[in-house]
Each structure stands twice: as structure tokens, then as C-alpha cells.
Amino acid sequence: MARVVVDVMLKPEILDPQGQAVQRALPRLGFDGIADVRQGKRFELEVEGPVDDAALARINEMAETFLANTVIEDFTVRIETAEGSK
Amino acid sequence: MTSRIGVVTFPGTLDDQDALRAVRVAGAEPVSLWHRDKDLHQVDAVVLAGGFSYGDYLRAGAISRFSPVMETVIEQARAGMPVLGICNGFQILTEAHLLPGAMLRNNHLHFICRDQKLRVENAETAWTSDYTQGQEISVPLKNMDGRYTADERTLDELEAEGRVAFRYADANPNGSLRDIAGITNAAGNVVGLMPHPEHAVEPLVGTGRTDGLGFFTSIIKKLVNA
């Protein structure tokens, strides 16, 4: 089984109040020097069979139509572990 | 003949009973629709009610949008059938691309529940003809993900075409761009809004006013005159 990771982030121009709330809490906790925080989502997909171009194309389609809302979010797709390797 | 107005129940929908009741109070026949049933049972219009369908997992409305009933609703809405999306229903309509833009977490990250003043900006849609343009109404508002967002070009287009149907009339409760509380599609048959008119149709409950009844009487007149 290979793992494919889809990361979804709000587009840079969209206000992210969750990220801001985290960022504002940091100095209080003693973590200084963080100018900005943005919060996203990570999907880990365990894929049956080979992750070939066709499988990646399907995952891209899945990310574009369902996992991300491309009106407000960007996404990236990458293979985390090659098939058969540890 | 009495108009038949359907209200869809998804897993997690909360306001379907209030919406069905609002339909009946206004004088139409309420019809319960189930999310797994593609058949709309000969209804003349559909209401997507509020709540937290599928727990709002992934994004509010994102999973419901792919339910069997929505296949038919999307097809029929494009063919002109009137559809009203309230709160979670509005979120589902944006996820289904029947309405432009998207709904995001409130800018202050709090759930809001209060009476909300709205200004009717477009009294010519299928669901708003019993109001007058510029009229202010008060209906309950309750949501976590009510911040309407779209890119500048879409917002300009909505304004230019008069498709901003409702604006928040006092303080903006959630950071919605340009104080937008509700919008319509170009044809005026699909309307979505965050506040809840179905909770303000009888004087005994909600705001104590019946300001929300106009949505349901508007659509009945539209269907009778069609």
C-alpha cells in the first residue's frame, strides 16, 4: 500500500481566524518570533494497488471536487511512501 | 391546487420540522424528502433546511452536496425549480455551485444565536416577492460557519446584477464580505441565506414576529401564478 498525502490550505487572500487565534496564543506560551500562522488540513490516503499516473489523476480529481473547495482553498498532492519501500 | 413544497432531511439536519411547519402555516402542502431518495415526489419547490448535515465534517455542506437527492435538486434547480437554502442549506448550495462563493468559519470563531436585522435588497426572486426592496426584517440567526466569501470579481458581479438578496442591517455578525446575508442565482429561482426565516412564522415563538413568513407566501404566490 502506498500513502498519498493531500494538503489543503486556505488561499493566501482568505482570512484565517483559526490560524490567527493560534498565533495570538503563542507569545503567551513563551513562543516568540512567529509572525503568522495559517491552519490547514492534511488527508492521508492509503491507496490500494500501484500509484501510477492514472491513480494520481483520480486523486487529483478527488481533491479538486471534494477534499478541497477551490473557491477558497488550494491543495497539493504527493506520494509519501513509494510502493514496496518502508 | 395546493402547492407542494419539499423539505430535505440529511443526517444532521435540525430545522426540517420548522421548515415543514412554515410551509404549512403559509398555506402550502409540506412534503418530507429524504437525502438518499433521488425522487422529489412531484414537489413544486424545495427547501434545504438548516442544521449540521454530516456533522459539518470536511466543510459545512460538502458531503451533503453529493447525496442522491442533490443530484435531482441540482438538475431541477438548473431547469428553473425554486430552491431555498437556509443556513446549512445555503452552505450546501454554494458547495453544489448552484450559488457562487463559499461559507467560512465566523471571523470571531464563536457560534452566534440571536435575532438579526436584515435588509431585503432584492424583492424580485421567487422567494422574496412578498417583501419590498429596502424593507428591514428581523429573524433568528444561529451559525458557526456564516462568513460569506467570494473573490472581488464575483462580488462585483453579484452587486451589479442585483443578486445580493439580503444584507445584515445592523452589525455584521460574522465577517461576511460586503455584509452579505443572502444571495440569489441569475434566474432568481435559487436563493440562499444564513439567518432562519422558518423560525419566525408564528408570533408565539422566535422573535415574536412573523417576518420570515414572507419567504413561504412569496413562493406559494409564484407557484400559483406560474
Side-chain angles (χ1 to χ4, degrees), chain A residues 10 14-18 20-21 41 43 65-69 71-73, chain B residues 58-59 62-63 66 95 97 101-109 147 149:
Chain A
L10 279 179
I14 304 275
L15 173 72
D16 175 15
Q18 296 171 105
Q20 285 181 347
K41 288 182 202 144
F43 298 87
T65 54
F66 187 48
L67 299 182
N69 178 347
V71 174
I72 45 171
E73 294 167 328
Chain B
L58 188 59
R59 296 177 304 278
I63 298 177
F66 291 99
E95 284 286 341
H97 305 301
M103 307 303 303
L104 285 157
R105 186 66 39 102
N106 296 339
N107 59 347
H108 44 69
L109 298 176
R147 174 163 56 110
T149 306

Side-chain angles (χ1 to χ4, degrees), chain B residues 19-70:
Chain B
L20 289 162
R21 185 175 175 83
V23 166
R24 194 171 75 240
V25 168
E29 183 188 344
V31 179
S32 290
L33 300 174
W34 183 237
H35 68 115
R36 289 178 66 179
D37 188 1
K38 270 189 182 183
D39 191 346
L40 296 185
H41 302 274
Q42 290 93 46
V43 296
D44 305 301
V46 166
V47 177
L48 302 176
F52 295 87
S53 60
Y54 290 91
D56 275 356
Y57 294 131
L58 188 59
R59 296 177 304 278
I63 298 177
S64 317
R65 172 253 179 279
F66 291 99
S67 64
V69 75
M70 284 304 294

